[in-house]
Each structure stands twice: as structure tokens, then as C-alpha cells.
Amino acid sequence: MVARQLDDRRTIGSGRRVAVRESAADAPIDDVAKQIIEQLREDGRRAYGTIGKAVGLSEAAVRQRVQRLLDAGVIQIVAVTDPQRLGFPRQAMVGLRTSGDLERVADRLADLDEISYVAVTAGSFDLLAEVVCRDDDHLLEILQRLRTADGVLSTEAFVYLKPPHTPR
């Protein structure tokens, strides 16, 4: 997935800054790491002590493992927003056919505020972009901007009728 490039340091929790590396080679993904990841997927703010009890480790051991996973870029701890509550009740997935440098087109589109993410894909579309907007008029405006963007040949919009279901 191509998305807005983030600083190579991230703020998590109580304001700690965490360096994120490109490679996951430093973080072993064993069964315990997978259990820790699952605990954090359920609740990204879950206490290390609570996670430790669930996976059979001490709080300190969980803290160290989570830090290694963060440092290696295996996981990120982020806030997930509800677009509807933020004033963006209309969502759509837009398939784009492009020409030229695919990565450059994707990077430019990812810079648009209304685009949640851009994914490079195989199949009928070169890119998929998820957009959030205030209403149908705003969606139409975004589609017009996408259709006239350099490197975009055509678009096809798939409007969400119900909010996306999230994995459990």
C-alpha cells in the first residue's frame, strides 16, 4: 500500500517517540509475538500487564517485545477514526487506471486529504483509493479531481451503502 509518507519517528502512547525501521528482520514473529499482536488488535491501548497475563509473559517482557515489533515496523499503534463522526458520512472505493509511473501517481493521490489510502493492485485497476467525503456533491468534486490528475486515464467509483466491516 502506498500512503502518505510518515516521518521515520512516531509518537505513541504517552508521547514516546519511536523509530521505525524499514525491515522486519529484527523482530521475531513467533507464536507469542502473534498473540501479543492479536491482543493489541483487539485494543491498542491494552495494558502491558494485561497482555502479559494473556500470553504468559511479564509486563516488562511484553513491553520489550512490543518495542521490538514497533522498531522493526511490524506493527504501528495508531488511532482509527470514524469518518461519519468526523463529518464524512459518504465513503467510496475508487478504481483507477493509470499511465506512466504508477508509484508517482499513487504518491500524488495519497496526498489528497480526502483519500484514506491508496493501494497498488493487479487486475482491472492499477490503483484503488478509498475516499471519504461530506456528501455526494463532495464525492463528485473528488472524482473530478481524480479524473483530471496527471497519469489517471479513467476511474470507477464504488459507493459504500453501509460502513465497512472491520476484521475481528
Side-chain angles (χ1 to χ4, degrees):
M1 171 170 67
V2 177
R4 230 179 295 269
Q5 293 295 315
L6 298 177
D7 187 320
D8 67 346
R9 301 188 65 76
R10 294 195 171 94
T11 302
I12 64 167
S14 60
R16 295 182 298 183
R17 300 283 289 171
V18 178
V20 177
R21 295 184 210 133
E22 290 297 312
S23 171
D26 297 349
I29 307 298
D30 58 11
D31 288 339
V32 174
K34 290 176 184 176
Q35 291 174 31
I36 291 170
I37 291 168
E38 184 56 33
Q39 290 285 312
L40 290 170
R41 280 177 46 94
E42 290 174 8
D43 179 359
R45 297 178 61 182
R46 186 164 286 158
Y48 293 142
T50 303
I51 295 171
K53 289 177 185 170
V55 302
L57 292 176
S58 69
E59 178 179 339
V62 170
R63 182 179 296 109
Q64 288 174 348
R65 282 190 171 239
V66 168
Q67 190 62 51
R68 280 196 308 246
L69 293 167
L70 287 164
D71 289 347
V74 174
I75 63 171
Q76 297 177 34
I77 298 176
V78 298
V80 178
T81 59
D82 180 347
Q84 291 188 341
R85 290 185 179 205
L86 293 175
F88 299 101
R90 174 62 71 211
Q91 291 179 268
M93 182 65 64
V94 180
L96 299 104
R97 291 179 185 87
T98 65
S99 67
D101 186 339
L102 187 58
E103 293 288 335
R104 276 187 41 202
V105 174
D107 286 340
R108 280 197 314 267
L109 296 179
D111 284 338
L112 297 174
D113 289 336
E114 295 92 347
I115 293 185
S116 301
Y117 67 88
V118 175
V120 176
T121 63
S124 298
F125 301 106
D126 300 310
L127 302 172
L128 290 176
E130 184 175 63
V131 300
V132 295
C133 30
R134 294 181 303 274
D135 52 33
D136 289 338
D137 289 334
H138 189 205
L139 176 58
L140 185 59
E141 173 192 323
I142 294 165
L143 289 172
Q144 186 61 29
R145 280 191 278 156
L146 293 175
R147 288 179 180 131
T148 59
D150 286 341
V152 174
L153 299 174
S154 66
T155 64
E156 186 173 343
F158 303 90
V159 177
Y160 298 174
L161 298 177
K162 289 187 177 187
H165 294 275
T166 55
R168 292 177 191 187

